[in-house]
């Protein structure tokens, strides 16, 4: 009853999955594997047939959505995702392997048969939902068979919709973590490496990897999966913005609203939605000023993010004014300084002066930024390397090739020491700038190495259509 060539795949109603979950809970079975061993296999021992054969005809129909999941999840996670899907798509029939496939062994068929039949079946069903948990590194992305399912969905083109959903408790975990550790978002995207997935049988992994290489290829698959994850996480973030109760400063009671406004604004800024970012950052600034006053150092990070948004929008006057206000508060304001200090202020002002062609002033600001970043984060950190790259670009504008070489020698030391997250956007920016400098020096092979590293990270984290990604692609095309 699983997949048969030429047949329309069957599925079960949500009620069936709820019933299985209820029975499994009474047995103490939690993961899908445990439910299979303690409930499904005993229930089908006599017939050796799929569990679906035991159901009433009214609970079975042509499958309308395929659920891609990992068996080490709690079954409740998959059922929760089905419940979410049901709200948007009432009366769906779910293809779920625990119920549709016999758990007593399957007939041996060549992998080529599975490839063709599975692809055709996915296209007949027309929708695939990936159950993502944990959000920071979804288990299905580490399983080769789930990878194969994703590839088939993507290969289906317009005939197959593919989306990622997370259980409710994972949504709450994502938002809570976002408040404490913003960078978890970009690292979740940066660490997507489908070629690192595993399978129970080595032959399955080899066959699936071969199928990926012959079809879409791992780099394209990583980029597409990351694009879907980015869309999914940004959707969750957008929903969180709508749920913020400004008066109570909470999101459904578990997050402090002012901090969330800032961190969500920072997220939207990073991924290119400056207008949404400014909307949220202004709300955060309003709440922080109301609580602490307009000269408290707690508001400086928000001002810095706002200034960065203004720089990206080419509103340089607002960026300079906002950065200067942040510096004034750090010098004369009340309260303890926050992490980062003056470094981001100097960087934003340097970017403004560079865009205005005021290179001496830009050089002065970037020099100060480097000093602060090196002192706070270390001279071999990615943010210190970014300041060196900015100084190098100023030097090139001023025809000071010796200074540019000196700055990029410092960047090379950062690469050697490696005190940075290898999949972060900061080091991707450094890789891009260093690659462009090598290209300028005529060393295309060396340039290609760094630009390719930058492109992989930017494709996964920012997406194929982000201006930074396209800029790296254009530079790489010159190698």
């Amino acid at each position: 009853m699983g997949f048969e060539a030429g047949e329309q795949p069957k599925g079960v109603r949500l009620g069936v999955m709820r019933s299985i979950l209820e029975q499994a809970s009474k047995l103490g079975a939690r993961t899908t594997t445990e439910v299979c061993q303690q409930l499904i296999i005993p229930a089908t021992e006599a017939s050796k047939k799929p569990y679906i054969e035991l159901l009433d005809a009214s609970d079975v129909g042509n499958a309308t959505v395929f659920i891609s999941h990992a068996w080490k999840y709690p079954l409740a996670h998959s059922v929760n995702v089905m419940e979410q899907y049901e709200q948007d798509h009432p009366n769906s029939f779910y293809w779920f392997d625990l119920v549709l496939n016999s758990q007593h062994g399957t007939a041996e068929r060549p992998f080529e048969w599975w490839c063709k039949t599975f692809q055709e079946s996915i296209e007949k069903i027309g929708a695939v939902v990936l159950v993502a948990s944990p959000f920071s590194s979804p288990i299905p992305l580490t399983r080769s068979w789930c990878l194969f399912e994703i590839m088939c969905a993507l290969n289906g083109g317009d005939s197959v919709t593919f989306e990622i959903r997370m259980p409710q408790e994972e949504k709450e975990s994502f938002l809570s973590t976002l408040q404490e550790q913003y960078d978890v978002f970009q690292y979740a995207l940066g660490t997507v490496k489908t070629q690192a997935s595993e399978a129970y049988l080595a032959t399955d992994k080899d066959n699936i990897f071969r199928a990926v290489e012959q079809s879409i290829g791992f780099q394209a698959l990583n980029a597409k999966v990351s694009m879907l994850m980015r869309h999914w996480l940004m959707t969750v973030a957008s929903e969180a913005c709508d749920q913020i109760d400004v008066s109570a400063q909470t999101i459904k009671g578990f997050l402090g609203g002012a901090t969330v406004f800032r961190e969500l604004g920072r997220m939207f800024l990073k991924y290119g939605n400056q207008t949404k970012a400014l909307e949220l950052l202004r709300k955060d600034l309003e709440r922080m000023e109301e609580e602490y006053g307009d000269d408290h150092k707690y508001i400086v990070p928000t001002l810095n993010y706002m200034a960065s948004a203004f720089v990206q929008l080419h509103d340089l006057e607002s960026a300079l004014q906002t950065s200067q206000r942040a510096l004034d508060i750090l010098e004369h304001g009340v309260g303890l300084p926050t992490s980062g200090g003056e470094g981001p202020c100097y960087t934003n002002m340097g970017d403004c002066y560079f865009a205005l062609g005021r290179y001496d002033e830009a050089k002065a600001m970037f020099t100060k930024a480097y000093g602060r970043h090196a002192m706070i984060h270390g001279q071999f950190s990615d943010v210190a390397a970014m300041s060196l790259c900015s100084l190098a670009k100023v030097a090139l504008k001023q025809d000071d090739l010796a200074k540019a070489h000196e700055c990029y020698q410092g960047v090379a030391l950062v690469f050697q020491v490696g005190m940075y997250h290898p999949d972060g956007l900061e080091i991707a920016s450094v890789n891009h700038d260093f690659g462009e400098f090598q290209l300028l020096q005529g060393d295309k092979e060396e340039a290609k190495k760094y630009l390719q590293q930058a492109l992989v990270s930017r494709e996964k984290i920012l997406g194929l259509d982000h201006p930074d990604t396209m800029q790296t692609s254009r530079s790489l095309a010159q190698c």
Side-chain angles (χ1 to χ4, degrees):
M1 184 67 78
F3 284 145
E4 294 297 334
E7 294 184 2
Q8 178 67 37
K10 298 298 181 183
V12 299
R13 292 188 184 277
L14 176 60
V16 171
M17 299 307 304
R18 284 173 170 163
S19 176
I20 290 174
L21 182 61
E22 182 179 353
Q23 296 176 62
S25 297
K26 294 177 181 178
L27 295 172
R30 186 167 179 268
T31 67
T32 304
T33 298
E34 291 169 349
V35 175
C36 179
Q37 294 170 345
Q38 298 179 42
L39 177 62
I40 302 299
I41 290 178
T44 57
E45 183 64 40
S47 68
K48 302 291 195 271
K49 292 183 178 180
Y51 187 83
I52 193 174
E53 299 285 355
L54 305 179
L55 302 176
D56 292 337
S58 61
D59 288 326
V60 179
N62 290 336
T64 56
V65 57
F66 178 99
I67 303 297
S68 179
H69 68 108
W71 279 53
K72 64 193 298 184
Y73 282 148
L75 179 62
H77 284 191
S78 295
V79 174
N80 180 263
V81 165
M82 292 183 220
E83 289 173 336
Q84 295 177 36
Y85 190 86
E86 187 76 10
Q87 291 180 355
D88 298 328
H89 308 276
N91 301 314
S92 293
F93 287 91
Y94 299 88
W95 196 101
F96 195 72
D97 54 0
L98 175 71
V99 178
L100 273 296
N101 288 335
S102 171
Q103 303 305 324
H104 299 274
T106 56
E108 290 293 332
R109 287 191 170 114
F111 184 78
E112 291 72 20
W113 183 93
W114 279 111
C115 277
K116 182 175 185 295
T117 304
F118 197 93
Q119 183 69 57
E120 291 175 350
S121 298
I122 288 288
E123 292 177 14
K124 288 176 181 176
I125 294 173
V128 174
V129 173
L130 176 74
V131 181
S133 179
F135 71 86
S136 57
S137 182
I139 293 173
L141 300 184
T142 69
R143 307 305 300 157
S144 295
W145 274 108
C146 290
L147 162 64
F148 180 70
E149 294 162 5
I150 294 169
M151 183 192 72
C152 288
L154 295 175
N155 285 342
D158 294 337
S159 66
V160 180
T161 62
F162 178 72
E163 59 180 296
I164 300 173
R165 294 193 180 221
M166 70 171 96
Q168 182 59 36
E169 67 180 63
E170 278 298 309
K171 288 184 180 181
E172 296 174 6
S173 176
F174 164 60
L175 293 171
S176 297
T177 304
L178 178 65
Q179 185 185 23
E180 302 296 330
Q181 184 186 353
Y182 154 78
D183 287 333
V184 72
F185 185 93
Q186 77 171 40
Y187 295 155
L189 296 174
T191 54
V192 172
K193 294 183 176 69
T194 53
Q195 62 268 44
S197 62
E198 297 293 338
Y200 180 74
L201 296 177
T203 53
D204 284 351
K205 175 181 175 180
D206 292 342
N207 284 328
I208 290 169
F209 278 28
R210 191 177 307 111
V212 171
E213 290 290 9
Q214 293 174 352
S215 175
I216 190 174
F218 279 108
Q219 183 170 344
L221 183 59
N222 286 338
K224 289 191 175 184
V225 170
S226 295
M227 176 188 70
L228 291 163
M229 285 187 65
R230 183 172 57 257
H231 174 73
W232 154 56
L233 291 171
M234 294 298 284
T235 298
V236 174
S238 297
E239 291 172 351
C241 295
D242 297 335
Q243 294 173 14
I244 293 179
D245 181 344
V246 179
S247 61
Q249 296 191 31
T250 61
I251 295 180
K252 297 301 184 185
F254 57 81
L255 289 179
T259 301
V260 172
F261 279 135
R262 186 184 69 201
E263 293 309 304
L264 291 177
R266 184 183 179 194
M267 177 190 298
F268 281 105
L269 175 63
K270 181 74 74 171
Y271 296 96
N273 191 337
Q274 296 90 355
T275 302
K276 183 67 174 179
L278 281 172
E279 173 192 332
L280 293 167
L281 292 168
R282 286 186 174 113
K283 288 181 180 179
D284 180 62
L285 183 62
E286 179 183 348
R287 298 299 301 176
M288 295 289 275
E289 287 178 333
E290 180 181 326
E291 184 168 354
Y292 298 106
D294 60 5
D295 62 345
H296 200 288
K297 294 176 184 177
Y298 281 174
I299 71 174
V300 168
T302 302
L303 291 173
N304 284 332
Y305 298 139
M306 291 178 66
S308 182
F310 287 133
V311 169
Q312 293 180 31
L313 292 170
H314 304 290
D315 184 354
L316 303 181
E317 181 178 354
S318 294
L320 285 169
Q321 291 174 352
T322 305
S323 295
Q324 188 60 58
R325 180 187 173 190
L327 284 172
D328 290 342
I329 292 173
L330 285 171
E331 184 175 356
H332 305 293
V334 298
L336 297 174
T338 56
S339 62
E342 298 91 343
C345 304
Y346 294 137
T347 296
N348 286 326
M349 296 181 81
D351 287 336
C352 289
Y353 290 135
F354 186 86
L356 292 168
R358 294 159 60 176
Y359 299 124
D360 286 337
E361 292 164 284
K363 180 180 179 180
M365 290 297 107
F366 288 139
T367 300
K368 290 181 178 180
Y370 174 74
R372 296 300 295 170
H373 288 318
M375 183 178 72
I376 295 173
H377 304 287
Q379 70 181 100
F380 301 116
S381 64
D382 46 12
V383 287
M386 290 177 72
S387 293
L388 287 174
C389 287
S390 296
L391 282 168
K393 285 189 281 190
V394 171
L396 290 173
K397 286 291 186 180
Q398 296 181 319
D399 296 322
D400 189 347
L401 193 59
K403 181 64 177 177
H405 268 293
E406 178 186 334
C407 292
Y408 279 121
Q409 284 174 351
V411 172
L413 285 175
V414 173
F415 285 131
Q416 291 177 20
V417 176
M419 291 176 56
Y420 53 83
H421 193 292
D423 297 306
L425 280 177
E426 291 77 10
I427 203 64
S429 175
V430 174
N431 274 318
H432 172 88
D433 289 345
F434 195 70
E436 283 204 328
F437 180 70
Q438 297 301 322
L439 188 61
L440 184 66
Q441 299 302 297
D443 192 342
K444 292 187 176 182
E445 283 303 311
E446 194 72 2
K448 183 177 181 180
K449 180 176 71 174
Y450 289 100
L451 289 170
Q452 282 181 331
Q453 293 177 27
L455 184 63
V456 168
S457 293
R458 284 180 165 179
E459 281 184 347
K460 288 195 295 184
I461 301 174
L462 298 176
L464 298 171
D465 58 349
H466 192 281
D468 290 350
T469 307
M470 292 189 288
Q471 181 186 19
T472 302
S473 295
R474 290 191 294 270
S475 297
L476 190 57
Q478 299 177 46
C479 294

